[in-house]
Amino acid sequence: MVQESSIIVRQATPEDLVIAHEIEKVINEAYCKEGGWTGEHQFVTGLRMNAEELSKTILDTSQPLYLAIDTVQGRVVGTVQLSHERVPPGEAEVRLLSVDHAYQSKGIGGKLVRMCMDEMRRHGNRTAVMHLFEGRDELLAWYEKKLGFQRTGGFLPFPKPEILIDKSSKFIALKKDL
């Protein structure tokens, strides 16, 4: 059993490039591997993020990537990114939320999102935004009930259409006032 106190969350730094393969594995297994309740394997084929994209993400401090680290095991077990790329001023997006399958349903995803929203507030954002594939009812319920996000009725195209299985798949937009 993972103890909440053994999990710390910190911003990724250039020094983390040496463990980029570990971070990449957590992201891609969370999104692409069957077996977890948060995966996108029914929507996408291939990797969610490759090594080059991850390196750019780690180095881009304007859209920080945060890592959840199990201090007992000494390994990365989750990620979340704070982004302003696809949203209007005053809003920030929660992206790349991933938790290692062995660590899911232990509060780590919620901890990552809450920390990300704290950072958004600290930087003056008024609204948190998330996107997820239409039809992911269990995950949508978690975002709504556990974290207080609400559907906006809006949709957004998936940012990497080349890996979509069904090219008509769309992201549902969710928001939460900070």
Side-chain angles (χ1 to χ4, degrees):
M1 176 79 175
V2 176
Q3 293 185 350
E4 173 99 17
S5 62
S6 72
I7 305 297
I8 62 160
V9 177
R10 66 165 177 80
Q11 186 172 339
T13 66
E15 290 76 26
D16 291 314
L17 289 172
V18 298
I19 60 165
H21 64 283
E22 182 181 339
I23 300 166
E24 182 184 355
K25 181 179 178 188
V26 169
I27 292 169
N28 285 320
E29 286 189 359
Y31 280 101
C32 303
K33 186 177 177 182
E34 291 187 43
W37 65 282
T38 61
E40 297 178 341
H41 60 277
Q42 67 272 38
F43 298 100
V44 297
T45 183
L47 300 177
R48 186 57 146 63
M49 177 165 276
N50 64 40
E52 182 181 338
E53 292 168 327
L54 179 59
S55 293
K56 288 179 184 176
T57 299
I58 290 171
L59 295 173
D60 184 358
T61 57
S62 70
Q63 299 187 88
L65 179 69
Y66 296 92
L67 307 175
I69 299 170
D70 182 335
T71 58
V72 173
Q73 298 294 320
R75 59 187 286 259
V76 175
V77 298
T79 68
V80 69
Q81 182 185 30
L82 189 161
S83 176
H84 294 95
E85 190 175 68
R86 304 183 298 195
V87 293
E91 295 185 358
E93 184 179 7
V94 176
R95 295 173 73 178
L96 283 180
L97 177 61
S98 64
V99 177
D100 182 299
H101 285 271
Y103 288 78
Q104 289 183 1
S105 299
K106 296 179 184 346
I108 296 168
K111 184 175 188 169
L112 283 162
V113 173
R114 284 188 292 279
M115 186 281 321
C116 194
M117 290 189 298
D118 288 345
E119 286 297 306
M120 291 174 181
R121 281 185 207 93
R122 196 170 71 76
H123 291 285
N125 295 287
R126 298 178 310 278
T127 306
V129 178
M130 294 190 85
H131 298 96
L132 71 147
F133 278 111
E134 184 176 33
R136 304 210 42 218
D137 297 332
E138 187 177 8
L139 190 55
L140 179 60
W142 184 79
Y143 287 133
E144 290 176 329
K145 292 175 186 164
K146 295 281 187 176
L147 297 172
F149 280 86
Q150 297 178 342
R151 294 175 231 205
T152 66
F155 294 93
L156 185 74
F158 186 68
K160 294 173 78 174
E162 68 278 6
I163 67 170
L164 284 173
I165 293 170
D166 177 353
K167 302 298 184 201
S168 68
S169 297
K170 298 178 279 193
F171 269 164
I172 295 172
L174 306 172
K175 289 190 177 185
K176 176 184 171 122
D177 290 334
L178 299 172

Short mmCIF file of all heavy atoms in Angstrom, two decimals, residues 11 57 60-66 80-96 115-131 156 178:
data_model
loop_
_atom_site.label_atom_id
_atom_site.label_comp_id
_atom_site.label_asym_id
_atom_site.label_seq_id
_atom_site.Cartn_x
_atom_site.Cartn_y
_atom_site.Cartn_z
N GLN A 11 8.10 20.31 -9.57
CA GLN A 11 8.23 20.66 -10.97
C GLN A 11 9.43 19.93 -11.58
O GLN A 11 10.48 19.80 -10.95
CB GLN A 11 8.42 22.16 -11.13
CG GLN A 11 8.42 22.61 -12.58
CD GLN A 11 8.41 24.11 -12.73
OE1 GLN A 11 8.03 24.83 -11.82
NE2 GLN A 11 8.82 24.59 -13.89
N THR A 57 8.97 19.38 -23.43
CA THR A 57 8.02 19.68 -22.36
C THR A 57 8.75 19.96 -21.05
O THR A 57 8.42 20.91 -20.34
CB THR A 57 7.02 18.51 -22.19
OG1 THR A 57 6.30 18.34 -23.41
CG2 THR A 57 6.05 18.74 -21.05
N ASP A 60 10.39 23.42 -21.20
CA ASP A 60 9.51 24.57 -21.39
C ASP A 60 8.91 25.00 -20.05
O ASP A 60 7.86 24.53 -19.64
CB ASP A 60 8.39 24.21 -22.37
CG ASP A 60 7.48 25.39 -22.70
OD1 ASP A 60 7.68 26.49 -22.14
OD2 ASP A 60 6.55 25.19 -23.50
N THR A 61 9.59 25.94 -19.40
CA THR A 61 9.12 26.37 -18.07
C THR A 61 7.87 27.23 -18.14
O THR A 61 7.24 27.48 -17.12
CB THR A 61 10.23 27.12 -17.32
OG1 THR A 61 10.65 28.25 -18.11
CG2 THR A 61 11.41 26.21 -17.03
N SER A 62 7.48 27.68 -19.35
CA SER A 62 6.24 28.45 -19.46
C SER A 62 5.01 27.54 -19.35
O SER A 62 3.90 28.03 -19.12
CB SER A 62 6.20 29.23 -20.77
OG SER A 62 6.04 28.34 -21.87
N GLN A 63 5.20 26.24 -19.53
CA GLN A 63 4.14 25.25 -19.39
C GLN A 63 4.69 24.11 -18.54
O GLN A 63 4.99 23.03 -19.05
CB GLN A 63 3.70 24.73 -20.76
CG GLN A 63 3.15 25.82 -21.64
CD GLN A 63 2.58 25.26 -22.90
OE1 GLN A 63 1.41 24.90 -22.92
NE2 GLN A 63 3.37 25.17 -23.94
N PRO A 64 4.85 24.36 -17.24
CA PRO A 64 5.59 23.41 -16.40
C PRO A 64 4.95 22.03 -16.30
O PRO A 64 3.73 21.89 -16.25
CB PRO A 64 5.63 24.10 -15.03
CG PRO A 64 4.53 25.10 -15.06
CD PRO A 64 4.35 25.49 -16.49
N LEU A 65 5.82 21.03 -16.26
CA LEU A 65 5.43 19.65 -16.02
C LEU A 65 5.77 19.35 -14.56
O LEU A 65 6.86 19.68 -14.10
CB LEU A 65 6.21 18.71 -16.94
CG LEU A 65 5.92 17.22 -16.77
CD1 LEU A 65 4.51 16.89 -17.26
CD2 LEU A 65 6.95 16.39 -17.54
N TYR A 66 4.84 18.75 -13.86
CA TYR A 66 5.05 18.37 -12.46
C TYR A 66 5.10 16.85 -12.37
O TYR A 66 4.39 16.15 -13.09
CB TYR A 66 3.93 18.93 -11.58
CG TYR A 66 3.93 20.44 -11.56
CD1 TYR A 66 3.17 21.15 -12.46
CD2 TYR A 66 4.73 21.14 -10.66
CE1 TYR A 66 3.18 22.54 -12.48
CE2 TYR A 66 4.76 22.53 -10.67
CZ TYR A 66 3.98 23.23 -11.58
OH TYR A 66 4.00 24.60 -11.59
N VAL A 80 1.62 15.79 -14.33
CA VAL A 80 0.57 16.73 -14.73
C VAL A 80 1.29 17.95 -15.30
O VAL A 80 2.38 18.30 -14.86
CB VAL A 80 -0.38 17.12 -13.57
CG1 VAL A 80 0.31 17.97 -12.52
CG2 VAL A 80 -1.64 17.79 -14.08
N GLN A 81 0.65 18.58 -16.29
CA GLN A 81 1.23 19.78 -16.89
C GLN A 81 0.25 20.93 -16.77
O GLN A 81 -0.95 20.75 -16.97
CB GLN A 81 1.57 19.53 -18.37
CG GLN A 81 2.22 20.72 -19.03
CD GLN A 81 2.44 20.51 -20.52
OE1 GLN A 81 1.69 19.80 -21.18
NE2 GLN A 81 3.47 21.13 -21.05
N LEU A 82 0.77 22.11 -16.48
CA LEU A 82 -0.02 23.34 -16.45
C LEU A 82 0.27 24.07 -17.76
O LEU A 82 1.43 24.36 -18.05
CB LEU A 82 0.41 24.18 -15.25
CG LEU A 82 -0.41 25.40 -14.91
CD1 LEU A 82 -0.14 25.81 -13.47
CD2 LEU A 82 -0.18 26.56 -15.83
N SER A 83 -0.77 24.33 -18.55
CA SER A 83 -0.57 24.93 -19.87
C SER A 83 -1.51 26.11 -20.10
O SER A 83 -2.65 26.11 -19.63
CB SER A 83 -0.82 23.87 -20.95
OG SER A 83 -0.73 24.44 -22.23
N HIS A 84 -1.02 27.09 -20.85
CA HIS A 84 -1.83 28.22 -21.29
C HIS A 84 -2.00 28.21 -22.81
O HIS A 84 -2.53 29.15 -23.39
CB HIS A 84 -1.18 29.55 -20.87
CG HIS A 84 -1.15 29.74 -19.40
ND1 HIS A 84 -0.07 29.40 -18.63
CD2 HIS A 84 -2.07 30.20 -18.55
CE1 HIS A 84 -0.33 29.66 -17.36
NE2 HIS A 84 -1.54 30.14 -17.29
N GLU A 85 -1.57 27.15 -23.44
CA GLU A 85 -1.46 27.08 -24.90
C GLU A 85 -2.79 27.17 -25.64
O GLU A 85 -2.89 27.85 -26.66
CB GLU A 85 -0.75 25.77 -25.26
CG GLU A 85 -0.35 25.65 -26.70
CD GLU A 85 0.44 24.38 -26.93
OE1 GLU A 85 -0.13 23.29 -26.82
OE2 GLU A 85 1.63 24.51 -27.22
N ARG A 86 -3.82 26.50 -25.19
CA ARG A 86 -5.08 26.41 -25.96
C ARG A 86 -6.25 27.09 -25.26
O ARG A 86 -7.40 26.79 -25.55
CB ARG A 86 -5.45 24.95 -26.19
CG ARG A 86 -4.38 24.15 -26.88
CD ARG A 86 -4.81 22.72 -27.15
NE ARG A 86 -5.08 21.98 -25.93
CZ ARG A 86 -5.18 20.67 -25.87
NH1 ARG A 86 -5.04 19.95 -26.95
NH2 ARG A 86 -5.43 20.06 -24.73
N VAL A 87 -5.97 28.00 -24.33
CA VAL A 87 -7.04 28.62 -23.55
C VAL A 87 -6.89 30.14 -23.54
O VAL A 87 -5.79 30.66 -23.74
CB VAL A 87 -7.05 28.08 -22.09
CG1 VAL A 87 -7.42 26.62 -22.06
CG2 VAL A 87 -5.73 28.31 -21.41
N PRO A 88 -7.99 30.86 -23.32
CA PRO A 88 -7.92 32.33 -23.29
C PRO A 88 -7.23 32.84 -22.02
O PRO A 88 -7.06 32.10 -21.05
CB PRO A 88 -9.39 32.76 -23.33
CG PRO A 88 -10.19 31.58 -22.94
CD PRO A 88 -9.35 30.36 -23.21
N PRO A 89 -6.86 34.12 -22.00
CA PRO A 89 -6.24 34.71 -20.81
C PRO A 89 -7.13 34.52 -19.57
O PRO A 89 -8.35 34.57 -19.66
CB PRO A 89 -6.12 36.20 -21.17
CG PRO A 89 -6.10 36.22 -22.67
CD PRO A 89 -6.96 35.08 -23.10
N GLY A 90 -6.50 34.28 -18.43
CA GLY A 90 -7.22 34.07 -17.18
C GLY A 90 -7.55 32.61 -16.93
O GLY A 90 -8.02 32.25 -15.85
N GLU A 91 -7.33 31.77 -17.94
CA GLU A 91 -7.57 30.34 -17.80
C GLU A 91 -6.25 29.59 -17.96
O GLU A 91 -5.32 30.09 -18.57
CB GLU A 91 -8.56 29.84 -18.86
CG GLU A 91 -9.94 30.44 -18.72
CD GLU A 91 -10.94 29.86 -19.71
OE1 GLU A 91 -10.58 29.03 -20.55
OE2 GLU A 91 -12.11 30.27 -19.63
N ALA A 92 -6.20 28.41 -17.38
CA ALA A 92 -5.05 27.52 -17.55
C ALA A 92 -5.57 26.10 -17.65
O ALA A 92 -6.61 25.76 -17.07
CB ALA A 92 -4.08 27.67 -16.39
N GLU A 93 -4.85 25.29 -18.38
CA GLU A 93 -5.30 23.92 -18.65
C GLU A 93 -4.47 22.90 -17.88
O GLU A 93 -3.26 23.02 -17.79
CB GLU A 93 -5.20 23.64 -20.15
CG GLU A 93 -5.74 22.28 -20.54
CD GLU A 93 -5.65 22.02 -22.04
OE1 GLU A 93 -5.05 22.82 -22.77
OE2 GLU A 93 -6.19 20.99 -22.46
N VAL A 94 -5.16 21.91 -17.35
CA VAL A 94 -4.54 20.74 -16.75
C VAL A 94 -4.33 19.75 -17.89
O VAL A 94 -5.30 19.33 -18.52
CB VAL A 94 -5.44 20.11 -15.65
CG1 VAL A 94 -4.82 18.85 -15.11
CG2 VAL A 94 -5.74 21.12 -14.56
N ARG A 95 -3.08 19.38 -18.14
CA ARG A 95 -2.76 18.46 -19.23
C ARG A 95 -1.84 17.35 -18.74
O ARG A 95 -1.24 17.46 -17.68
CB ARG A 95 -2.06 19.21 -20.37
CG ARG A 95 -2.94 20.23 -21.04
CD ARG A 95 -2.19 21.05 -22.04
NE ARG A 95 -1.89 20.30 -23.25
CZ ARG A 95 -1.27 20.82 -24.30
NH1 ARG A 95 -0.89 22.07 -24.30
NH2 ARG A 95 -1.04 20.08 -25.35
N LEU A 96 -1.71 16.33 -19.54
CA LEU A 96 -0.79 15.21 -19.28
C LEU A 96 -0.93 14.63 -17.88
O LEU A 96 0.06 14.24 -17.27
CB LEU A 96 0.66 15.64 -19.52
CG LEU A 96 1.11 15.74 -20.96
CD1 LEU A 96 2.56 16.17 -21.03
CD2 LEU A 96 0.91 14.43 -21.71
N MET A 115 -2.67 20.32 -6.84
CA MET A 115 -1.43 21.08 -6.83
C MET A 115 -1.36 21.97 -8.07
O MET A 115 -0.98 23.13 -7.99
CB MET A 115 -0.23 20.13 -6.77
CG MET A 115 1.12 20.79 -6.61
SD MET A 115 1.86 21.52 -8.09
CE MET A 115 1.46 20.37 -9.36
N CYS A 116 -1.76 21.44 -9.21
CA CYS A 116 -1.76 22.20 -10.45
C CYS A 116 -2.71 23.40 -10.33
O CYS A 116 -2.37 24.52 -10.73
CB CYS A 116 -2.16 21.29 -11.61
SG CYS A 116 -1.82 21.95 -13.25
N MET A 117 -3.88 23.19 -9.76
CA MET A 117 -4.83 24.29 -9.58
C MET A 117 -4.30 25.32 -8.59
O MET A 117 -4.52 26.52 -8.76
CB MET A 117 -6.20 23.76 -9.16
CG MET A 117 -6.90 23.01 -10.30
SD MET A 117 -8.63 22.57 -9.98
CE MET A 117 -8.48 21.50 -8.56
N ASP A 118 -3.59 24.90 -7.56
CA ASP A 118 -2.95 25.84 -6.63
C ASP A 118 -1.95 26.73 -7.38
O ASP A 118 -1.88 27.93 -7.15
CB ASP A 118 -2.23 25.10 -5.50
CG ASP A 118 -3.18 24.47 -4.49
OD1 ASP A 118 -4.38 24.81 -4.49
OD2 ASP A 118 -2.72 23.61 -3.71
N GLU A 119 -1.17 26.12 -8.27
CA GLU A 119 -0.21 26.89 -9.08
C GLU A 119 -0.94 27.86 -10.00
O GLU A 119 -0.50 28.99 -10.20
CB GLU A 119 0.68 25.95 -9.89
CG GLU A 119 1.73 25.25 -9.06
CD GLU A 119 2.72 26.23 -8.43
OE1 GLU A 119 3.32 27.06 -9.16
OE2 GLU A 119 2.88 26.17 -7.20
N MET A 120 -2.07 27.43 -10.56
CA MET A 120 -2.85 28.31 -11.42
C MET A 120 -3.29 29.54 -10.64
O MET A 120 -3.16 30.68 -11.12
CB MET A 120 -4.08 27.57 -11.96
CG MET A 120 -3.77 26.50 -12.95
SD MET A 120 -5.31 25.60 -13.36
CE MET A 120 -4.68 24.39 -14.51
N ARG A 121 -3.83 29.33 -9.44
CA ARG A 121 -4.27 30.45 -8.59
C ARG A 121 -3.10 31.37 -8.28
O ARG A 121 -3.23 32.60 -8.34
CB ARG A 121 -4.86 29.92 -7.28
CG ARG A 121 -6.24 29.41 -7.37
CD ARG A 121 -6.78 29.02 -5.98
NE ARG A 121 -7.78 28.00 -6.10
CZ ARG A 121 -7.57 26.68 -6.03
NH1 ARG A 121 -6.37 26.20 -5.78
NH2 ARG A 121 -8.56 25.84 -6.17
N ARG A 122 -1.98 30.77 -7.93
CA ARG A 122 -0.78 31.54 -7.57
C ARG A 122 -0.33 32.46 -8.71
O ARG A 122 0.20 33.53 -8.48
CB ARG A 122 0.34 30.57 -7.18
CG ARG A 122 1.48 31.20 -6.43
CD ARG A 122 2.43 30.17 -5.85
NE ARG A 122 3.24 29.47 -6.82
CZ ARG A 122 4.31 29.98 -7.43
NH1 ARG A 122 4.68 31.20 -7.19
NH2 ARG A 122 4.99 29.25 -8.29
N HIS A 123 -0.60 32.03 -9.94
CA HIS A 123 -0.22 32.82 -11.11
C HIS A 123 -1.36 33.69 -11.63
O HIS A 123 -1.26 34.24 -12.73
CB HIS A 123 0.30 31.90 -12.22
CG HIS A 123 1.61 31.28 -11.88
ND1 HIS A 123 2.81 31.97 -11.92
CD2 HIS A 123 1.93 30.04 -11.43
CE1 HIS A 123 3.79 31.18 -11.55
NE2 HIS A 123 3.29 30.01 -11.24
N GLY A 124 -2.44 33.81 -10.86
CA GLY A 124 -3.52 34.72 -11.20
C GLY A 124 -4.59 34.19 -12.14
O GLY A 124 -5.43 34.97 -12.61
N ASN A 125 -4.58 32.92 -12.42
CA ASN A 125 -5.63 32.35 -13.27
C ASN A 125 -6.93 32.23 -12.47
O ASN A 125 -6.91 32.00 -11.27
CB ASN A 125 -5.22 30.97 -13.78
CG ASN A 125 -4.02 31.06 -14.69
OD1 ASN A 125 -4.13 31.51 -15.81
ND2 ASN A 125 -2.86 30.67 -14.20
N ARG A 126 -8.05 32.40 -13.16
CA ARG A 126 -9.36 32.34 -12.51
C ARG A 126 -10.11 31.05 -12.81
O ARG A 126 -11.06 30.70 -12.11
CB ARG A 126 -10.21 33.54 -12.93
CG ARG A 126 -9.61 34.88 -12.51
CD ARG A 126 -10.44 36.07 -12.98
NE ARG A 126 -10.78 36.04 -14.40
CZ ARG A 126 -9.99 36.43 -15.39
NH1 ARG A 126 -8.78 36.86 -15.14
NH2 ARG A 126 -10.39 36.39 -16.65
N THR A 127 -9.69 30.34 -13.86
CA THR A 127 -10.43 29.15 -14.28
C THR A 127 -9.46 28.05 -14.69
O THR A 127 -8.49 28.31 -15.40
CB THR A 127 -11.34 29.48 -15.49
OG1 THR A 127 -12.17 30.60 -15.16
CG2 THR A 127 -12.20 28.31 -15.87
N ALA A 128 -9.75 26.84 -14.22
CA ALA A 128 -9.01 25.65 -14.64
C ALA A 128 -9.81 24.95 -15.73
O ALA A 128 -11.04 24.87 -15.65
CB ALA A 128 -8.80 24.70 -13.46
N VAL A 129 -9.11 24.46 -16.75
CA VAL A 129 -9.74 23.80 -17.88
C VAL A 129 -9.13 22.41 -18.03
O VAL A 129 -7.94 22.22 -17.81
CB VAL A 129 -9.49 24.61 -19.18
CG1 VAL A 129 -10.10 23.92 -20.38
CG2 VAL A 129 -10.01 26.03 -19.04
N MET A 130 -9.97 21.45 -18.38
CA MET A 130 -9.50 20.10 -18.70
C MET A 130 -10.24 19.63 -19.94
O MET A 130 -11.35 20.09 -20.21
CB MET A 130 -9.80 19.11 -17.56
CG MET A 130 -9.04 19.37 -16.30
SD MET A 130 -9.24 18.01 -15.14
CE MET A 130 -7.96 16.93 -15.74
N HIS A 131 -9.63 18.70 -20.64
CA HIS A 131 -10.28 18.09 -21.80
C HIS A 131 -10.11 16.59 -21.70
O HIS A 131 -9.06 16.10 -21.30
CB HIS A 131 -9.64 18.60 -23.11
CG HIS A 131 -9.79 20.07 -23.29
ND1 HIS A 131 -8.81 20.97 -22.93
CD2 HIS A 131 -10.82 20.79 -23.78
CE1 HIS A 131 -9.23 22.19 -23.20
NE2 HIS A 131 -10.45 22.11 -23.72
N LEU A 156 -13.24 20.23 -28.31
CA LEU A 156 -11.96 20.64 -28.88
C LEU A 156 -11.42 19.47 -29.66
O LEU A 156 -11.53 18.32 -29.21
CB LEU A 156 -11.01 20.99 -27.72
CG LEU A 156 -9.65 21.56 -28.06
CD1 LEU A 156 -9.79 23.01 -28.52
CD2 LEU A 156 -8.76 21.52 -26.84
N LEU A 178 -11.59 28.82 -10.08
CA LEU A 178 -10.57 28.72 -9.03
C LEU A 178 -10.89 29.73 -7.98
O LEU A 178 -10.74 30.14 -7.15
CB LEU A 178 -9.18 28.96 -9.62
CG LEU A 178 -8.76 27.96 -10.69
CD1 LEU A 178 -7.46 28.38 -11.36
CD2 LEU A 178 -8.57 26.58 -10.07
#
